[in-house]
Amino acid sequence: MVKCNTMADVRREIDRIDRELVKLLAERQTYIEQAGAIKGERTRVRDEARIEEVVQKVLAEADRAGLSRAIAEPLWRLLIERSIAHEYDVFDAKPRATGTGD
């Protein structure tokens, strides 16, 4: 962590962190897309048990890192919901076997 003496310093560091977060979120998205491609049934896209597992892991990591749970939990729940919506899009875009018997 850098000690900031001015608001310009603070903003520069926040911008730097935001750039890194975007890279990490883009990487996370690639795994969401792979999940959408791998899953065989649309009903498997949303997994309530996995959602809660992820949130609990994030909260434990937030506690270790000093991130407020009031920031971490709603942020991750939103991230998860948007990720699930994206995964549905990926799943729905998959080519399907037609089974026409031609």
Side-chain angles (χ1 to χ4, degrees), residues 16-97:
R16 176 187 61 79
I17 291 167
D18 286 348
R19 287 190 301 273
E20 292 302 313
L21 286 171
V22 167
K23 289 176 192 173
L24 289 171
L25 289 170
E27 180 181 358
R28 188 182 194 282
Q29 179 181 295
T30 67
Y31 293 108
I32 297 301
E33 291 165 350
Q34 289 180 52
I38 290 169
K39 290 179 181 173
E41 297 175 19
R42 194 174 197 276
T43 57
R44 297 196 57 207
V45 170
R46 182 175 196 85
D47 181 341
E48 294 297 333
R50 176 64 178 152
I51 291 168
E52 293 311 313
E53 177 186 352
V54 170
V55 170
Q56 291 311 308
K57 287 179 181 181
V58 164
L59 291 176
E61 188 59 32
D63 290 343
R64 283 190 288 276
L67 175 61
S68 167
R69 284 175 165 238
I71 294 172
E73 185 168 1
L75 182 61
W76 252 267
R77 288 194 183 276
L78 177 60
L79 175 61
I80 290 166
E81 289 304 318
R82 297 310 310 147
S83 296
I84 290 168
H86 185 66
E87 188 177 335
Y88 275 124
D89 290 343
V90 169
F91 185 91
D92 292 343
K94 286 193 305 190
R96 303 280 187 256

Side-chain angles (χ1 to χ4, degrees), residues 3-15:
K3 172 66 175 142
C4 298
N5 296 311
T6 67
M7 281 308 299
D9 293 341
V10 169
R11 289 178 179 141
R12 183 181 61 250
E13 291 305 310
I14 289 173
D15 291 347

